[in-house]
Amino acid sequence: MGHLDHAAFGLLTPVLSYAMAVIGAALGLRCTVRALAASGRSRRNWLVTAASAIGTGIWTMHFVAMLGFAVRGTDIRYNVPLTLLSLLVAMLVVGAGVFCVGYGRDRVRSLLVGGLSTGLGVASMHYLGMAALRLHGSIGYDPALVALSVVIAVVAATAALWAALNIRSAVAVAVASLVMGAAVSSMHYTGMLAVSVDVVPSGDALPGATAMQFIFPLAVGLGSYLFVTSAFVALSPTERERTAYAFAERRSEATADPSPDGPGARDPAGRRAAADAPTPQHTPAR
């Protein structure tokens, strides 16, 4: 049985992975709030951004945490296609849940269906990512802890979607994001506690890419995407602000433009029109 180390770099990877989960959750919640206040193409675009943000945050959290995962007695490699597939699964299942909430008429049913599908998808992403591991030996799982990690994933996903439906203020979104980040991290480390590795020493080269060759650059890129998207959302006006700007612009135009029939209007030749009232005549006194 190989010794498992879940924090080979100390607290760096757990803290950084938690931060990624919080940022993804906060960005996803803000985008969902924007989507619920919009309609048509704007709503769809905001929901797509929310799904990509939450999915990216969850995936980045998982693999940043995996940077600190080590097994004594064997190197670790990652199957690149399976790892990328886990990222795609994360975005698709979160997108399904977000769109279910964004367009569902029955909010309770949408919340339950979306939370269940998203939670199962997040758990699938986690264990698909674990299936991408390549090492000298075999990996086993504790069924009870696996089931617990799936339950945590479903509860966390349902809570995230509930927050998207009911939370509006920035402070409440920040608090919900901290809680959601903790829930996603708990799901990950519960799943990792379920792992056991039976190491078989071997001198053969392992297939796949190392974490620093593939996982680290991809995680940095996705993390940069989250920060850039956060800046875009922060600078983008809300629907209420757009409506206020449009109203103020129309009011300004109405104030600045003279009426065509008013005393200040000009005739086609460019001369100012005279007032309708006749010019008073001076009558000399007798």
Side-chain angles (χ1 to χ4, degrees):
M1 186 72 67
H3 172 72
L4 308 185
D5 189 350
H6 298 286
F9 299 104
L11 292 177
L12 176 62
T13 50
V15 171
L16 187 57
S17 63
Y18 172 70
M20 291 297 101
V22 170
I23 292 172
L27 182 56
L29 285 178
R30 292 304 299 167
C31 290
T32 306
V33 169
R34 297 285 188 93
L36 294 176
S39 60
R41 182 180 299 178
S42 179
R43 170 173 288 197
R44 182 199 63 194
N45 292 341
W46 279 117
L47 289 175
V48 169
T49 306
S52 66
I54 298 175
T56 298
I58 292 172
W59 189 93
T60 306
M61 177 271 145
H62 171 80
F63 280 100
V64 167
M66 291 302 293
L67 291 175
F69 179 67
V71 181
R72 185 178 300 171
T74 179
D75 293 330
I76 295 177
R77 299 288 186 273
Y78 292 89
N79 181 286
V80 174
L82 273 180
T83 304
L84 292 176
L85 179 60
S86 68
L87 173 59
L88 181 62
V89 167
M91 291 189 177
L92 289 179
V93 297
V94 172
V98 168
F99 270 81
C100 184
V101 167
Y103 286 102
R105 295 183 178 180
D106 187 339
R107 287 201 166 187
V108 175
R109 180 181 300 176
S110 300
L111 180 62
L112 295 178
V113 174
L116 179 62
S117 62
T118 303
L120 293 177
V122 169
S124 299
M125 179 278 298
H126 174 88
Y127 289 105
L128 188 59
M130 292 300 296
L133 262 66
R134 298 292 180 263
L135 46 76
H136 293 302
S138 58
I139 300 177
Y141 295 93
D142 183 329
L145 287 177
V146 169
L148 179 59
S149 70
V150 173
V151 171
I152 293 175
V154 172
V155 172
T158 305
L161 295 177
W162 177 89
L165 284 173
N166 295 280
I167 290 179
R168 294 293 181 270
S169 70
V171 175
V173 167
V175 173
S177 302
L178 294 173
V179 174
M180 288 167 55
V184 172
S185 297
S186 299
M187 177 268 162
H188 171 81
Y189 284 105
T190 301
M192 295 306 296
L193 288 176
V195 175
S196 61
V197 177
D198 186 10
V199 176
V200 178
S202 174
D204 296 338
L206 289 168
T210 65
M212 289 301 174
Q213 289 174 336
F214 175 62
I215 302 298
F216 179 73
L218 187 58
V220 170
L222 294 175
S224 300
Y225 163 76
L226 289 176
F227 282 108
V228 171
T229 307
S230 298
F232 168 77
V233 173
L235 296 174
S236 178
T238 63
E239 290 296 319
R240 180 179 298 178
E241 290 171 340
R242 290 178 187 273
T243 303
Y245 293 157
F247 176 77
E249 186 175 356
R250 288 194 300 269
R251 186 173 182 179
S252 176
E253 290 176 352
T255 303
D257 292 343
S259 173
D261 298 327
R266 295 177 182 271
D267 62 15
R271 296 185 298 272
R272 187 176 298 277
D276 294 336
T279 303
Q281 299 294 323
H282 176 71
T283 304
R286 295 185 178 181

